[in-house]
Amino acid sequence: MDLELNGKVVLVTGGSDGLGRALCRSLVDEGARVALCARDGDRLDDAVTELRTRAEARAEACARDGQHPPAGGVLGVVADVTSPRDLAAFVEAVVDTFGPRIDGLVNNAGRSAAKRIADTDDLDWDADLQLKLYAAVRLTRLVLPHMARPGGSIVNVLAIAAKSPGAGSGPSSVSRAAGMALTKALSKELGPDGIRANAVLIGLIESGQWERVAGARGMTTDDLYRRMASDAGVPLGRVGRAAEFADTVSYLLSPRASYVTGTALNLDGGLCAVV
Ligand SMILES: NC(=O)c1ccc[n+]([C@@H]2O[C@H](COP(=O)([O-])OP(=O)(O)OC[C@H]3O[C@@H](n4cnc5c(N)ncnc54)[C@H](OP(=O)(O)O)[C@@H]3O)[C@@H](O)[C@H]2O)c1
């Protein structure tokens, strides 16, 4: 199925590692023009180099097969999504590079923050809300004036704890629940302009953060993933693959999902107790 993403401009926060990086690969393969941001400049450069090489290989393959060349284009911007100034500079760089129309925004940057509520302090809550909620609100506000209408698509990457918070899941589960409400409110406000907003709720998926955990515990990533799936009791019996995340989000960004908005899709191998 052609996702009709060729030439579309998509912003991905936290695109230098893990799920965001896998999504950028998928978008490049579809011929989209991709702008990614992250804080660590070296890792961002590494991702941009990989993505540009991938885009060139795809362009050569299209030329060999006599197909139209993909529009393509990859832009990396060092930005901390908790900084309003960095977010504004990110959007400005995208518009300068790819032009005034933005088709997709994926609010993905984040990290796990889970403690018992009694053990948290105000700094924990401030940091988590800045990273996971305010960043998405601010970037959405900056992108909206440029967003294709109709046709724009926003995807907020959340976690299944948003629907079924467990003990010791704060402040993350609470920030993620706010992200779900944000998604629904946006879908109602932006629907009349033909802009869609959806959330993807992650269970356990292979990514850079887990590779770092495996390293710290002296385990192989495969052993860690097997242990995680079995401890959590994932019905499909394994953690997800980053490419499965990339496929799901690419679909939600694409015109093929043109009647899908206001949803919070569990991507968790059946783990969440709630539909
Ligand atoms: N993988 C899972 O099992 C899982 C489960 C539940 C939820 N999630 C959510 O899915 C999203 C992606 O997670 P992941 O597993 O792919 O994590 P990851 O492998 O650690 O990658 C995180 C990415 O976000 C960037 N990032 C982190 N903080 C940032 C900031 N303040 N500003 C800009 N970029 C920032 C990182 O780059 P820098 O560090 O260089 O900034 C990196 O590119 C996160 O929101 C995470 O909470 C993942």
Side-chain angles (χ1 to χ4, degrees), residues 185-243:
L186 284 172
S187 73
K188 301 279 189 195
E189 290 178 13
L190 303 175
D193 287 336
I195 298 175
R196 297 176 297 107
N198 291 288
V200 174
L201 274 57
I202 311 296
L204 296 168
I205 301 189
E206 294 172 1
S207 75
Q209 64 165 305
W210 298 122
E211 285 166 22
R212 291 190 291 278
V213 169
R217 292 188 191 167
M219 300 169 76
T220 66
T221 48
D222 283 350
D223 284 345
L224 177 70
Y225 292 144
R226 263 193 294 277
R227 172 91 54 91
M228 283 162 51
S230 120
D231 288 354
V234 180
L236 286 184
R238 62 173 176 83
V239 304
R241 299 182 194 101

Side-chain angles (χ1 to χ4, degrees), residues 24-43:
C24 291
R25 287 188 193 111
S26 165
L27 293 171
V28 162
D29 290 350
E30 295 297 328
R33 291 179 286 172
V34 181
L36 57 149
C37 78
R39 293 164 303 173
D40 180 330
D42 289 341
R43 192 163 53 178

Side-chain angles (χ1 to χ4, degrees), residues 255-267:
R256 295 297 185 145
S258 49
Y259 203 54
V260 183
T261 193
T263 59
L265 176 68
N266 297 349
L267 187 66

Side-chain angles (χ1 to χ4, degrees), residues 111 113 115 119-131 171:
R111 70 178 138 70
K115 287 184 188 173
D119 297 333
T120 59
D121 58 24
D122 286 0
L123 290 178
D124 293 323
W125 287 90
D126 274 353
D128 207 59
L129 287 164
Q130 288 289 344
L131 176 62

